[in-house]
């Protein structure tokens, strides 16, 4: 059974239809790269999946559980939080709290959720110690165990993004989502973040990656989904979509991308 099943997802902003009839599935342990030009609907799709936007039509199922159905009232309270936590999201711009250390940024959400546990009052010290230990392990998994006590302003952009990845991993989501994770980084810092994502793929982490890094997508993603004008134009194995696309719109996008990279590097 697919870990993620998306069926008929659409989203309007006023009269503008941003995504239309989006349907795809994702297997456990698979990495799916979503590519396309700015304005193609990639980020809106990711925001709909992670409950930051509410789709107008469609359903989203995770491990067989319906977490969104446009024809039904949206869950509230604990159930809504539980559904949202099925996804972890790493933003473009880190979104770290500047007043907290790297470790505190990683553990904060878990600490807040722990307060809802029935045994929190009696076991607070033990619970927080367990969360801190888990947070340090998450930082270690992204190569930042030595930076646990550093504040965001003491970290490079690449290190901040790696803290954001550790924060998303901390809550053990079913699916880890990345929205252009290197777009806010200088070129020399991009590699360290891509290496962390590559290591997650090697560990069979289930991931959705909106990216403009075509070579990275080709190397790391199992499948690639190309969007244009709010619809899925092509979907298939990464090597096929990027290396030998079937659709003319995909070919034009990849040619334009290659020309832009050549110009910027020239």
């Amino acid at each position: 059974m697919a870990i993620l099943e998306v069926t008929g997802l659409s989203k309007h902003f006023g009269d503008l239809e941003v995504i239309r009839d989006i349907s795809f599935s994702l297997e456990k342990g698979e990495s799916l790269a979503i590519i396309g030009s700015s304005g193609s609907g990639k980020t809106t799709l990711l925001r709909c999946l992670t409950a930051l936007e509410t789709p107008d039509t469609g359903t989203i199922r995770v491990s067989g559980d319906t977490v969104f159905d446009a024809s039904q009232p949206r869950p509230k309270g604990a159930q809504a939080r539980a559904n949202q936590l099925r996804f972890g999201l790493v933003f473009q711009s880190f979104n770290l709290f500047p007043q907290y250390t790297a470790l505190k940024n990683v553990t904060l959400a878990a600490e807040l959720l722990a307060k809802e546990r029935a045994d929190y009052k009696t076991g607070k010290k033990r619970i927080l110690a367990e969360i801190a230990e888990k947070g340090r392990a998450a930082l270690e998994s992204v190569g930042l165990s030595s930076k646990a006590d550093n504040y965001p302003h003491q970290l490079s952009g690449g290190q901040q993004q790696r803290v954001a990845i550790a924060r998303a991993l901390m809550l053990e989501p079913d699916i880890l989502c990345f929205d252009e994770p290197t777009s806010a980084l200088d070129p020399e810092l991009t590699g360290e973040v891509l290496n962390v994502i590559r290591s997650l793929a090697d560990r069979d982490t289930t991931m959705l990656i909106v990216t403009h890094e075509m070579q990275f997508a080709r190397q790391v993603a199992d499948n690639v989904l190309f969007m244009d004008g709010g619809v899925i134009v092509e979907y298939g194995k990464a090597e096929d979509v990027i290396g030998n696309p079937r659709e003319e719109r995909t070919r034009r996008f990849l040619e334009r991308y290659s020309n832009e990279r050549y110009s910027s590097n020239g």
Side-chain angles (χ1 to χ4, degrees):
M1 178 187 292
I3 193 170
L4 174 65
E5 298 169 277
V6 178
T7 306
L9 221 61
S10 299
K11 176 65 180 177
H12 296 76
F13 292 109
D15 295 331
L16 178 64
E17 189 174 42
V18 184
I19 58 173
R20 179 172 74 255
D21 197 26
I22 299 292
S23 299
F24 67 93
S25 62
L26 184 67
E27 298 296 323
K28 184 175 177 61
E30 178 183 315
S31 298
L32 173 63
I34 304 175
I35 64 173
S37 302
S38 297
S40 61
K42 309 184 302 298
T43 293
T44 297
L45 171 58
L46 217 56
R47 289 178 65 84
C48 286
L49 293 175
T50 55
L52 296 177
E53 300 286 355
T54 303
D56 298 310
T57 66
T59 60
I60 302 169
R61 293 171 62 83
V62 178
S63 297
D65 301 325
T66 299
V67 298
F68 175 79
D69 185 340
S71 68
Q72 301 295 324
R74 293 209 68 174
K76 297 181 180 180
Q79 186 58 56
R81 285 195 298 279
N83 289 346
Q84 193 169 17
L85 290 172
R86 306 295 289 267
F87 296 88
L89 180 57
V90 179
F91 298 90
Q92 296 181 22
S93 54
F94 324 143
N95 288 356
L96 300 182
F97 292 102
Q99 71 272 34
Y100 295 140
T101 64
L103 179 61
K104 186 69 172 181
N105 268 281
V106 170
T107 60
L108 182 61
E111 290 172 359
L112 293 173
L113 288 169
K115 293 180 179 181
E116 300 178 3
R117 290 174 48 167
D119 62 342
Y120 182 74
K121 287 186 177 180
T122 57
K124 179 179 177 180
K125 186 175 181 179
R126 171 184 54 82
I127 291 169
L128 292 180
E130 290 172 352
I131 290 172
E133 182 179 1
K134 187 176 177 183
R136 291 184 185 279
L139 283 171
E140 184 176 5
S141 74
V142 298
L144 289 176
S145 56
S146 65
K147 302 293 184 180
D149 296 325
N150 287 55
Y151 290 85
H153 75 272
Q154 298 172 312
L155 303 173
S156 70
Q159 289 170 337
Q160 289 184 59
Q161 189 62 299
R162 285 152 62 194
V163 172
I165 294 172
R167 177 178 59 188
L169 290 170
M170 178 73 184
L171 297 178
E172 300 179 347
D174 294 271
I175 303 156
L176 188 57
C177 302
F178 294 87
D179 184 12
E180 299 278 15
T182 61
S183 65
L185 299 177
D186 294 332
E188 61 268 24
L189 299 176
T190 294
E192 65 183 75
V193 173
L194 295 183
N195 284 337
V196 168
I197 299 173
R198 189 177 285 109
S199 72
L200 293 173
D202 290 341
R203 285 179 263 163
D204 293 328
T205 305
T206 307
M207 294 186 288
L208 284 173
I209 310 165
V210 170
T211 183
H212 61 277
E213 299 282 349
M214 294 304 116
Q215 191 61 31
F216 171 76
R218 190 172 184 172
Q219 293 173 351
V220 173
D222 298 290
N223 291 305
V224 168
L225 186 155
F226 169 61
M227 294 183 66
D228 187 39
V231 300
I232 296 174
V233 175
E234 190 163 350
Y235 172 79
K237 294 295 182 183
E239 185 62 36
D240 294 335
V241 174
I242 296 177
N244 188 29
R246 299 187 310 271
E247 301 295 329
E248 178 62 27
R249 286 159 76 180
T250 314
R251 286 194 289 271
R252 288 201 305 268
F253 165 75
L254 291 170
E255 288 171 2
R256 185 168 67 250
Y257 167 82
S258 296
N259 291 336
E260 289 173 354
R261 278 186 64 85
Y262 178 80
S263 298
S264 64
N265 291 334

